[in-house]
Short mmCIF file of all heavy atoms in Angstrom, two decimals:
data_model
loop_
_atom_site.label_atom_id
_atom_site.label_comp_id
_atom_site.label_asym_id
_atom_site.label_seq_id
_atom_site.Cartn_x
_atom_site.Cartn_y
_atom_site.Cartn_z
N MET X 5 195.20 117.00 243.97
CA MET X 5 195.31 117.36 242.57
C MET X 5 194.43 118.58 242.36
O MET X 5 193.25 118.64 242.69
CB MET X 5 194.91 116.24 241.66
CG MET X 5 195.84 116.18 240.55
SD MET X 5 195.78 114.60 239.61
CE MET X 5 194.29 113.81 239.87
N PRO X 6 194.99 119.59 241.71
CA PRO X 6 194.16 120.81 241.51
C PRO X 6 193.23 120.58 240.38
O PRO X 6 193.44 119.87 239.40
CB PRO X 6 195.24 121.88 241.21
CG PRO X 6 196.41 121.16 240.71
CD PRO X 6 196.35 119.81 241.36
N LEU X 7 192.13 121.37 240.54
CA LEU X 7 191.12 121.41 239.46
C LEU X 7 191.36 122.60 238.56
O LEU X 7 191.36 123.72 238.99
CB LEU X 7 189.73 121.42 240.08
CG LEU X 7 188.58 121.47 239.11
CD1 LEU X 7 188.41 120.18 238.37
CD2 LEU X 7 187.25 121.77 239.89
N TYR X 8 191.61 122.34 237.35
CA TYR X 8 191.86 123.45 236.38
C TYR X 8 190.61 123.69 235.54
O TYR X 8 189.84 122.78 235.24
CB TYR X 8 193.05 123.14 235.49
CG TYR X 8 194.38 123.19 236.27
CD1 TYR X 8 195.06 121.90 236.49
CD2 TYR X 8 194.85 124.35 236.66
CE1 TYR X 8 196.28 122.04 237.25
CE2 TYR X 8 196.10 124.46 237.36
CZ TYR X 8 196.78 123.19 237.60
OH TYR X 8 197.93 123.23 238.26
N GLU X 9 190.52 124.93 235.15
CA GLU X 9 189.43 125.26 234.25
C GLU X 9 190.00 125.56 232.86
O GLU X 9 190.98 126.30 232.77
CB GLU X 9 188.67 126.50 234.74
CG GLU X 9 187.48 126.83 233.96
CD GLU X 9 186.50 127.64 234.66
OE1 GLU X 9 186.76 128.05 235.82
OE2 GLU X 9 185.39 127.94 234.11
N TYR X 10 189.40 125.03 231.86
CA TYR X 10 189.90 125.24 230.48
C TYR X 10 188.80 125.90 229.66
O TYR X 10 187.60 125.68 229.87
CB TYR X 10 190.25 123.94 229.86
CG TYR X 10 191.59 123.32 230.36
CD1 TYR X 10 191.58 122.55 231.48
CD2 TYR X 10 192.75 123.55 229.70
CE1 TYR X 10 192.77 122.04 232.03
CE2 TYR X 10 193.93 123.03 230.25
CZ TYR X 10 193.94 122.32 231.37
OH TYR X 10 195.05 121.80 231.81
N ILE X 11 189.30 126.70 228.76
CA ILE X 11 188.36 127.30 227.73
C ILE X 11 188.86 126.91 226.40
O ILE X 11 190.03 127.15 226.04
CB ILE X 11 188.29 128.77 227.98
CG1 ILE X 11 187.69 129.18 229.29
CG2 ILE X 11 187.41 129.43 226.82
CD1 ILE X 11 187.55 130.59 229.57
N CYS X 12 187.95 126.39 225.57
CA CYS X 12 188.36 126.00 224.24
C CYS X 12 188.28 127.20 223.32
O CYS X 12 187.22 127.85 223.25
CB CYS X 12 187.40 124.90 223.71
SG CYS X 12 187.74 124.50 222.00
N PRO X 13 189.32 127.58 222.70
CA PRO X 13 189.32 128.82 221.84
C PRO X 13 188.58 128.48 220.48
O PRO X 13 188.21 129.41 219.80
CB PRO X 13 190.79 129.10 221.58
CG PRO X 13 191.46 127.83 221.73
CD PRO X 13 190.68 127.02 222.77
N THR X 14 188.37 127.24 220.30
CA THR X 14 187.66 126.87 218.98
C THR X 14 186.19 127.01 219.08
O THR X 14 185.53 127.62 218.22
CB THR X 14 188.09 125.44 218.54
OG1 THR X 14 189.51 125.38 218.51
CG2 THR X 14 187.50 125.03 217.24
N CYS X 15 185.64 126.39 220.13
CA CYS X 15 184.11 126.41 220.27
C CYS X 15 183.69 127.08 221.48
O CYS X 15 182.49 127.08 221.80
CB CYS X 15 183.66 124.93 220.21
SG CYS X 15 184.09 124.02 221.67
N ASN X 16 184.62 127.75 222.19
CA ASN X 16 184.27 128.51 223.41
C ASN X 16 183.73 127.62 224.52
O ASN X 16 183.06 128.07 225.46
CB ASN X 16 183.24 129.61 223.09
CG ASN X 16 183.90 130.96 223.21
OD1 ASN X 16 185.06 131.10 223.55
ND2 ASN X 16 183.17 131.95 222.89
N HIS X 17 183.90 126.32 224.47
CA HIS X 17 183.41 125.46 225.47
C HIS X 17 184.31 125.52 226.72
O HIS X 17 185.56 125.66 226.64
CB HIS X 17 183.41 123.94 224.91
CG HIS X 17 182.88 122.99 225.96
ND1 HIS X 17 181.64 122.98 226.33
CD2 HIS X 17 183.51 122.01 226.67
CE1 HIS X 17 181.39 122.05 227.27
NE2 HIS X 17 182.55 121.36 227.42
N ARG X 18 183.69 125.62 227.84
CA ARG X 18 184.44 125.72 229.02
C ARG X 18 184.20 124.45 229.90
O ARG X 18 183.15 123.97 230.00
CB ARG X 18 183.91 126.94 229.92
CG ARG X 18 184.68 127.26 231.15
CD ARG X 18 184.13 128.38 231.91
NE ARG X 18 184.33 129.65 231.25
CZ ARG X 18 184.11 130.80 231.81
NH1 ARG X 18 183.52 130.83 233.04
NH2 ARG X 18 184.30 131.93 231.15
N PHE X 19 185.30 123.93 230.42
CA PHE X 19 185.22 122.69 231.20
C PHE X 19 186.27 122.67 232.23
O PHE X 19 187.27 123.48 232.16
CB PHE X 19 185.33 121.46 230.21
CG PHE X 19 186.66 121.40 229.47
CD1 PHE X 19 187.61 120.57 229.94
CD2 PHE X 19 186.85 122.09 228.33
CE1 PHE X 19 188.85 120.45 229.27
CE2 PHE X 19 188.03 122.10 227.65
CZ PHE X 19 189.06 121.20 228.08
N GLU X 20 186.13 121.80 233.11
CA GLU X 20 187.03 121.63 234.24
C GLU X 20 187.70 120.34 234.23
O GLU X 20 187.07 119.32 233.79
CB GLU X 20 186.39 121.87 235.57
CG GLU X 20 185.84 123.28 235.73
CD GLU X 20 185.05 123.45 237.01
OE1 GLU X 20 184.48 122.46 237.50
OE2 GLU X 20 185.01 124.57 237.46
N LYS X 21 188.91 120.21 234.66
CA LYS X 21 189.57 118.93 234.57
C LYS X 21 190.59 118.85 235.74
O LYS X 21 191.27 119.84 236.10
CB LYS X 21 190.39 118.85 233.29
CG LYS X 21 190.84 117.47 232.94
CD LYS X 21 191.48 117.53 231.61
CE LYS X 21 192.13 116.20 231.21
NZ LYS X 21 191.26 115.25 230.69
N LEU X 22 190.56 117.74 236.46
CA LEU X 22 191.55 117.53 237.46
C LEU X 22 192.80 117.09 236.86
O LEU X 22 192.89 116.09 236.10
CB LEU X 22 191.04 116.40 238.42
CG LEU X 22 190.14 116.79 239.55
CD1 LEU X 22 189.54 115.62 240.23
CD2 LEU X 22 190.91 117.66 240.55
N GLN X 23 193.87 117.80 237.15
CA GLN X 23 195.15 117.46 236.54
C GLN X 23 196.20 117.79 237.55
O GLN X 23 196.15 118.53 238.45
CB GLN X 23 195.42 118.38 235.32
CG GLN X 23 194.60 117.87 234.15
CD GLN X 23 195.08 118.62 232.90
OE1 GLN X 23 195.30 119.80 232.94
NE2 GLN X 23 195.30 117.93 231.82
N SER X 24 197.36 117.11 237.32
CA SER X 24 198.49 117.37 238.15
C SER X 24 199.12 118.69 237.65
O SER X 24 198.84 119.14 236.53
CB SER X 24 199.54 116.28 238.02
OG SER X 24 200.08 116.19 236.68
N MET X 25 199.90 119.31 238.53
CA MET X 25 200.51 120.58 238.19
C MET X 25 201.41 120.57 236.91
O MET X 25 201.52 121.57 236.24
CB MET X 25 201.33 121.10 239.35
CG MET X 25 200.56 121.20 240.65
SD MET X 25 199.91 122.86 240.94
CE MET X 25 201.46 123.62 241.56
N SER X 26 201.90 119.38 236.67
CA SER X 26 202.81 119.26 235.49
C SER X 26 202.16 118.95 234.21
O SER X 26 202.81 118.68 233.24
CB SER X 26 203.91 118.37 235.84
OG SER X 26 203.40 117.09 236.18
N ALA X 27 200.88 118.74 234.19
CA ALA X 27 200.15 118.33 233.11
C ALA X 27 200.28 119.38 231.91
O ALA X 27 200.30 120.51 232.19
CB ALA X 27 198.71 118.11 233.34
N ALA X 28 200.40 118.87 230.75
CA ALA X 28 200.68 119.74 229.64
C ALA X 28 199.42 120.56 229.28
O ALA X 28 199.49 121.76 228.90
CB ALA X 28 201.18 118.98 228.41
N GLY X 29 198.28 119.95 229.32
CA GLY X 29 197.10 120.64 228.90
C GLY X 29 195.96 119.68 228.73
O GLY X 29 196.06 118.58 229.23
N ALA X 30 194.88 120.12 228.10
CA ALA X 30 193.72 119.30 227.97
C ALA X 30 193.06 119.56 226.60
O ALA X 30 193.25 120.65 226.09
CB ALA X 30 192.73 119.53 229.11
N ASP X 31 192.41 118.54 226.11
CA ASP X 31 191.70 118.74 224.84
C ASP X 31 190.21 118.99 225.20
O ASP X 31 189.71 118.42 226.13
CB ASP X 31 191.85 117.48 224.06
CG ASP X 31 193.25 117.37 223.39
OD1 ASP X 31 193.97 118.38 223.41
OD2 ASP X 31 193.61 116.29 222.96
N CYS X 32 189.65 119.79 224.36
CA CYS X 32 188.20 120.13 224.59
C CYS X 32 187.42 118.80 224.31
O CYS X 32 187.64 118.16 223.31
CB CYS X 32 187.80 121.20 223.51
SG CYS X 32 186.06 121.49 223.48
N PRO X 33 186.47 118.49 225.23
CA PRO X 33 185.66 117.27 225.06
C PRO X 33 184.64 117.48 224.00
O PRO X 33 183.97 116.50 223.53
CB PRO X 33 185.08 117.07 226.45
CG PRO X 33 185.10 118.44 227.07
CD PRO X 33 186.30 119.16 226.53
N ASN X 34 184.48 118.74 223.61
CA ASN X 34 183.43 119.05 222.66
C ASN X 34 183.93 118.87 221.16
O ASN X 34 183.24 118.20 220.34
CB ASN X 34 182.92 120.42 222.93
CG ASN X 34 181.53 120.71 222.38
OD1 ASN X 34 180.70 119.80 222.39
ND2 ASN X 34 181.32 121.90 221.95
N CYS X 35 185.06 119.53 220.91
CA CYS X 35 185.51 119.49 219.53
C CYS X 35 186.91 118.91 219.36
O CYS X 35 187.45 118.78 218.36
CB CYS X 35 185.54 120.90 218.99
SG CYS X 35 186.73 121.99 219.86
N GLU X 36 187.41 118.43 220.61
CA GLU X 36 188.64 117.71 220.58
C GLU X 36 189.86 118.49 220.09
O GLU X 36 190.89 117.99 219.63
CB GLU X 36 188.58 116.35 219.86
CG GLU X 36 187.58 115.47 220.54
CD GLU X 36 187.42 114.14 219.78
OE1 GLU X 36 188.11 113.98 218.76
OE2 GLU X 36 186.69 113.26 220.20
N GLN X 37 189.79 119.79 220.22
CA GLN X 37 190.92 120.61 219.96
C GLN X 37 191.60 120.97 221.27
O GLN X 37 190.93 121.01 222.29
CB GLN X 37 190.41 121.93 219.30
CG GLN X 37 189.74 121.73 217.89
CD GLN X 37 190.73 121.09 216.88
OE1 GLN X 37 191.77 121.65 216.67
NE2 GLN X 37 190.28 119.92 216.39
N PRO X 38 192.83 121.32 221.17
CA PRO X 38 193.54 121.68 222.44
C PRO X 38 192.90 122.92 223.01
O PRO X 38 192.76 123.89 222.28
CB PRO X 38 194.99 121.92 221.99
CG PRO X 38 194.93 122.03 220.51
CD PRO X 38 193.75 121.26 220.07
N ALA X 39 192.67 122.87 224.30
CA ALA X 39 192.10 123.98 225.04
C ALA X 39 193.08 124.78 225.81
O ALA X 39 194.19 124.28 226.04
CB ALA X 39 190.92 123.49 225.95
N LYS X 40 192.76 125.97 226.15
CA LYS X 40 193.67 126.78 226.91
C LYS X 40 193.24 126.77 228.38
O LYS X 40 192.08 126.82 228.65
CB LYS X 40 193.57 128.24 226.40
CG LYS X 40 194.19 128.43 225.03
CD LYS X 40 194.53 129.82 224.79
CE LYS X 40 193.25 130.77 224.64
NZ LYS X 40 193.53 132.12 224.14
N ARG X 41 194.25 126.67 229.20
CA ARG X 41 193.95 126.61 230.62
C ARG X 41 193.61 128.07 231.03
O ARG X 41 194.30 129.02 230.68
CB ARG X 41 195.21 126.16 231.39
CG ARG X 41 194.95 126.09 232.87
CD ARG X 41 196.21 125.70 233.61
NE ARG X 41 196.59 124.32 233.24
CZ ARG X 41 197.68 123.74 233.74
NH1 ARG X 41 198.50 124.50 234.48
NH2 ARG X 41 198.07 122.54 233.47
N ALA X 42 192.50 128.16 231.69
CA ALA X 42 192.09 129.44 232.20
C ALA X 42 192.63 129.68 233.60
O ALA X 42 192.48 128.80 234.47
CB ALA X 42 190.61 129.55 232.20
N ILE X 43 193.22 130.78 233.73
CA ILE X 43 193.76 131.13 235.09
C ILE X 43 192.49 131.44 235.89
O ILE X 43 191.50 131.92 235.45
CB ILE X 43 194.63 132.30 235.05
CG1 ILE X 43 195.68 132.10 233.90
CG2 ILE X 43 195.40 132.48 236.34
CD1 ILE X 43 196.53 130.88 234.08
N SER X 44 192.59 131.13 237.25
CA SER X 44 191.38 131.21 238.03
C SER X 44 190.90 132.73 238.17
O SER X 44 189.68 132.86 238.44
CB SER X 44 191.69 130.70 239.49
OG SER X 44 192.91 131.32 239.99
N VAL X 45 191.74 133.61 237.88
CA VAL X 45 191.24 134.99 237.87
C VAL X 45 190.96 135.36 236.37
O VAL X 45 191.82 135.30 235.47
CB VAL X 45 192.36 135.99 238.37
CG1 VAL X 45 191.85 137.45 238.25
CG2 VAL X 45 192.64 135.63 239.82
N PHE X 46 189.73 135.61 236.06
CA PHE X 46 189.34 135.79 234.69
C PHE X 46 189.39 137.21 234.20
O PHE X 46 188.55 137.87 233.66
CB PHE X 46 187.85 135.32 234.47
CG PHE X 46 187.73 133.88 234.68
CD1 PHE X 46 187.32 133.33 235.80
CD2 PHE X 46 188.12 133.03 233.60
CE1 PHE X 46 187.20 131.97 235.95
CE2 PHE X 46 188.05 131.62 233.78
CZ PHE X 46 187.57 131.12 234.93
N ALA X 47 190.56 137.82 234.50
CA ALA X 47 190.79 139.23 234.08
C ALA X 47 190.82 139.40 232.60
O ALA X 47 190.34 140.32 232.07
CB ALA X 47 192.00 139.72 234.74
N ALA X 48 191.32 138.39 231.96
CA ALA X 48 191.53 138.53 230.52
C ALA X 48 190.38 137.83 229.70
O ALA X 48 190.36 137.99 228.50
CB ALA X 48 192.82 137.89 230.10
N VAL X 49 189.49 137.19 230.39
CA VAL X 49 188.42 136.47 229.70
C VAL X 49 187.12 137.14 229.99
O VAL X 49 186.43 136.80 230.96
CB VAL X 49 188.38 135.00 230.14
CG1 VAL X 49 187.35 134.26 229.32
CG2 VAL X 49 189.71 134.35 229.99
N THR X 50 186.81 138.15 229.15
CA THR X 50 185.48 138.84 229.33
C THR X 50 184.77 138.79 228.02
O THR X 50 184.14 139.80 227.63
CB THR X 50 185.83 140.25 229.76
OG1 THR X 50 186.74 140.86 228.85
CG2 THR X 50 186.41 140.36 231.12
N LYS X 51 184.80 137.74 227.29
CA LYS X 51 184.29 137.62 226.09
C LYS X 51 182.87 137.15 226.10
O LYS X 51 182.55 135.95 225.97
CB LYS X 51 185.11 136.65 225.19
CG LYS X 51 184.84 136.69 223.76
CD LYS X 51 185.92 135.78 223.06
CE LYS X 51 185.50 135.46 221.62
NZ LYS X 51 186.48 134.54 221.08
N GLY X 52 181.94 138.08 226.34
CA GLY X 52 180.52 137.73 226.32
C GLY X 52 180.04 136.81 227.47
O GLY X 52 178.99 136.50 227.58
N GLY X 53 180.99 136.60 228.39
CA GLY X 53 180.60 135.84 229.56
C GLY X 53 179.89 136.66 230.54
O GLY X 53 180.11 137.86 230.66
N SER X 54 179.02 136.03 231.32
CA SER X 54 178.35 136.78 232.31
C SER X 54 179.23 136.93 233.49
O SER X 54 179.87 135.95 233.98
CB SER X 54 177.04 136.13 232.74
OG SER X 54 177.32 134.82 233.30
N SER X 55 179.31 138.06 234.02
CA SER X 55 180.16 138.30 235.19
C SER X 55 179.51 137.80 236.46
O SER X 55 178.34 138.15 236.69
CB SER X 55 180.47 139.76 235.34
OG SER X 55 181.11 140.02 236.54
N GLU X 56 180.17 136.89 237.08
CA GLU X 56 179.59 136.37 238.33
C GLU X 56 180.13 137.08 239.55
O GLU X 56 179.94 136.65 240.68
CB GLU X 56 179.82 134.88 238.42
CG GLU X 56 179.11 134.14 237.30
CD GLU X 56 179.45 132.68 237.29
OE1 GLU X 56 179.95 132.21 238.30
OE2 GLU X 56 179.28 131.99 236.27
N MET X 57 180.88 138.15 239.32
CA MET X 57 181.43 138.86 240.51
C MET X 57 180.32 139.64 241.15
O MET X 57 179.54 140.40 240.44
CB MET X 57 182.49 139.84 240.00
CG MET X 57 183.81 139.12 239.67
SD MET X 57 184.73 138.68 241.16
CE MET X 57 185.21 140.26 241.69
N PRO X 58 180.14 139.58 242.41
CA PRO X 58 179.15 140.41 243.05
C PRO X 58 179.62 141.84 242.98
O PRO X 58 180.79 142.15 243.07
CB PRO X 58 179.14 139.91 244.52
CG PRO X 58 180.46 139.23 244.69
CD PRO X 58 180.81 138.70 243.30
N THR X 59 178.64 142.69 242.72
CA THR X 59 179.00 144.15 242.61
C THR X 59 179.58 144.61 243.87
O THR X 59 180.49 145.48 243.88
CB THR X 59 177.82 144.90 242.14
OG1 THR X 59 176.77 144.66 243.10
CG2 THR X 59 177.35 144.58 240.75
N SER X 60 179.04 144.24 245.01
CA SER X 60 179.62 144.63 246.25
C SER X 60 179.11 143.68 247.35
O SER X 60 178.20 142.80 247.07
CB SER X 60 179.23 146.10 246.64
OG SER X 60 177.89 146.12 247.03
N MET X 61 179.65 143.77 248.46
CA MET X 61 179.18 142.97 249.57
C MET X 61 177.89 143.49 250.08
O MET X 61 177.20 142.93 250.92
CB MET X 61 180.17 142.90 250.64
CG MET X 61 181.46 142.21 250.22
SD MET X 61 181.27 140.46 249.77
CE MET X 61 181.02 139.75 251.38
N GLY X 62 177.55 144.79 249.75
CA GLY X 62 176.36 145.38 250.27
C GLY X 62 176.57 145.92 251.62
O GLY X 62 177.60 145.59 252.31
N PRO X 63 175.60 146.69 252.11
CA PRO X 63 175.78 147.22 253.45
C PRO X 63 175.65 146.13 254.49
O PRO X 63 174.88 145.17 254.32
CB PRO X 63 174.65 148.24 253.58
CG PRO X 63 173.69 147.78 252.61
CD PRO X 63 174.40 147.12 251.48
N LEU X 64 176.33 146.28 255.54
CA LEU X 64 176.26 145.28 256.57
C LEU X 64 174.92 145.43 257.25
O LEU X 64 174.38 146.52 257.45
CB LEU X 64 177.35 145.49 257.60
CG LEU X 64 178.79 145.20 257.14
CD1 LEU X 64 179.77 145.58 258.24
CD2 LEU X 64 178.90 143.66 256.90
N PRO X 65 174.29 144.31 257.57
CA PRO X 65 173.02 144.45 258.31
C PRO X 65 173.21 145.00 259.68
O PRO X 65 174.31 144.84 260.29
CB PRO X 65 172.48 142.99 258.38
CG PRO X 65 173.77 142.17 258.25
CD PRO X 65 174.67 142.93 257.41
N PRO X 66 172.20 145.73 260.16
CA PRO X 66 172.44 146.40 261.50
C PRO X 66 172.53 145.31 262.56
O PRO X 66 171.78 144.31 262.53
CB PRO X 66 171.17 147.29 261.66
CG PRO X 66 170.17 146.67 260.69
CD PRO X 66 170.98 146.10 259.54
N LEU X 67 173.37 145.51 263.42
CA LEU X 67 173.52 144.53 264.54
C LEU X 67 172.33 144.70 265.48
O LEU X 67 171.97 145.76 265.86
CB LEU X 67 174.82 144.78 265.27
CG LEU X 67 176.06 144.53 264.48
CD1 LEU X 67 177.31 145.00 265.24
CD2 LEU X 67 176.27 143.07 264.12
N SER X 68 171.77 143.54 265.78
CA SER X 68 170.72 143.64 266.78
C SER X 68 171.22 143.04 268.05
O SER X 68 171.87 142.05 268.06
CB SER X 68 169.46 142.82 266.26
OG SER X 68 169.87 141.51 266.03
N GLY X 69 170.90 143.80 269.11
CA GLY X 69 171.41 143.37 270.41
C GLY X 69 172.87 143.61 270.59
O GLY X 69 173.51 144.12 269.63
N GLY X 70 173.36 143.44 271.70
CA GLY X 70 174.72 143.71 271.92
C GLY X 70 174.98 145.16 272.37
O GLY X 70 174.56 146.05 271.55
N GLY X 71 175.52 145.35 273.42
CA GLY X 71 175.78 146.74 273.88
C GLY X 71 174.55 147.50 274.24
O GLY X 71 173.48 146.94 274.35
N CYS X 72 174.71 148.78 274.58
CA CYS X 72 173.59 149.52 275.01
C CYS X 72 172.80 149.99 273.79
O CYS X 72 173.21 149.88 272.64
CB CYS X 72 174.12 150.79 275.72
SG CYS X 72 172.83 151.68 276.64
N CYS X 73 171.54 150.29 274.01
CA CYS X 73 170.69 150.79 272.90
C CYS X 73 170.37 149.64 271.90
O CYS X 73 169.96 149.87 270.81
CB CYS X 73 171.19 151.99 272.14
SG CYS X 73 171.28 153.36 273.22
N GLY X 74 170.63 148.43 272.32
CA GLY X 74 170.34 147.34 271.38
C GLY X 74 168.88 146.82 271.61
O GLY X 74 168.46 145.88 271.01
N GLY X 75 168.25 147.50 272.41
CA GLY X 75 166.84 147.14 272.77
C GLY X 75 166.69 146.46 274.12
O GLY X 75 165.59 146.33 274.65
N GLY X 76 167.80 146.13 274.73
CA GLY X 76 167.72 145.36 275.85
C GLY X 76 167.67 146.20 277.14
O GLY X 76 167.21 145.84 278.18
N CYS X 77 168.08 147.44 277.00
CA CYS X 77 168.23 148.27 278.18
C CYS X 77 167.12 149.39 278.21
O CYS X 77 166.99 150.12 279.19
CB CYS X 77 169.57 148.94 278.29
SG CYS X 77 169.95 150.10 277.01
N GLY X 78 166.33 149.43 277.20
CA GLY X 78 165.19 150.35 277.20
C GLY X 78 165.55 151.81 276.81
O GLY X 78 164.65 152.70 276.85
N CYS X 79 166.79 152.05 276.43
CA CYS X 79 167.11 153.39 276.08
C CYS X 79 167.05 153.64 274.60
O CYS X 79 167.23 154.76 274.07
CB CYS X 79 168.54 153.75 276.53
SG CYS X 79 169.78 152.89 275.70
N GLY X 80 166.67 152.66 273.82
CA GLY X 80 166.54 152.79 272.39
C GLY X 80 165.16 153.39 272.04
O GLY X 80 164.36 153.71 272.90
N PRO X 81 164.88 153.53 270.76
CA PRO X 81 163.57 154.12 270.30
C PRO X 81 162.39 153.15 270.65
O PRO X 81 162.58 151.94 270.68
CB PRO X 81 163.73 154.18 268.83
CG PRO X 81 164.87 153.27 268.47
CD PRO X 81 165.74 153.21 269.60
ZN1 ZN D 106 186.06 122.91 221.69
#
C-alpha cells in the first residue's frame, strides 16, 4: 500500500497516510477538514516550506588509490 502525503489547506498541517490507490482522500487529523493529497514532487507547494532539496551533490571526493599516481607506485607528489 503506498504512503501518501497530504497537506491540509485549512491549517497547513502536513501528514502522511497509508492508503490504497483508489482511496478518495483523507481528512486532516488536526482540524478534520478534507486535506489535499500532495504529489511526491513538491513543485507546486513552495509556500513557506523549507526546501529540503540538496543544492547539489557537491564535488566528488578525490579517489585515493587505484591506478598509477595513487600513491602506491611512488610517482605521485
Ligand atoms: Zn487541518
Side-chain angles (χ1 to χ4, degrees):
M5 219 164 21
L7 178 68
Y8 288 109
E9 185 160 5
Y10 286 85
I11 295 179
C12 174
T14 305
C15 69
N16 251 356
H17 183 66
R18 184 183 289 189
F19 61 99
E20 293 173 336
K21 195 176 173 84
L22 273 173
Q23 282 191 318
S24 68
M25 302 263 284
S26 58
D31 288 343
C32 173
N34 203 33
C35 65
E36 296 180 358
Q37 297 299 305
K40 289 197 294 190
R41 183 183 293 175
I43 314 300
S44 53
V45 179
F46 291 101
V49 186
T50 53
K51 192 174 168 184
S54 63
S55 171
E56 294 175 19
M57 285 283 289
T59 52
S60 76
M61 296 296 288
L64 290 172
L67 293 172
S68 60
C72 193
C73 297
C77 66
C79 69

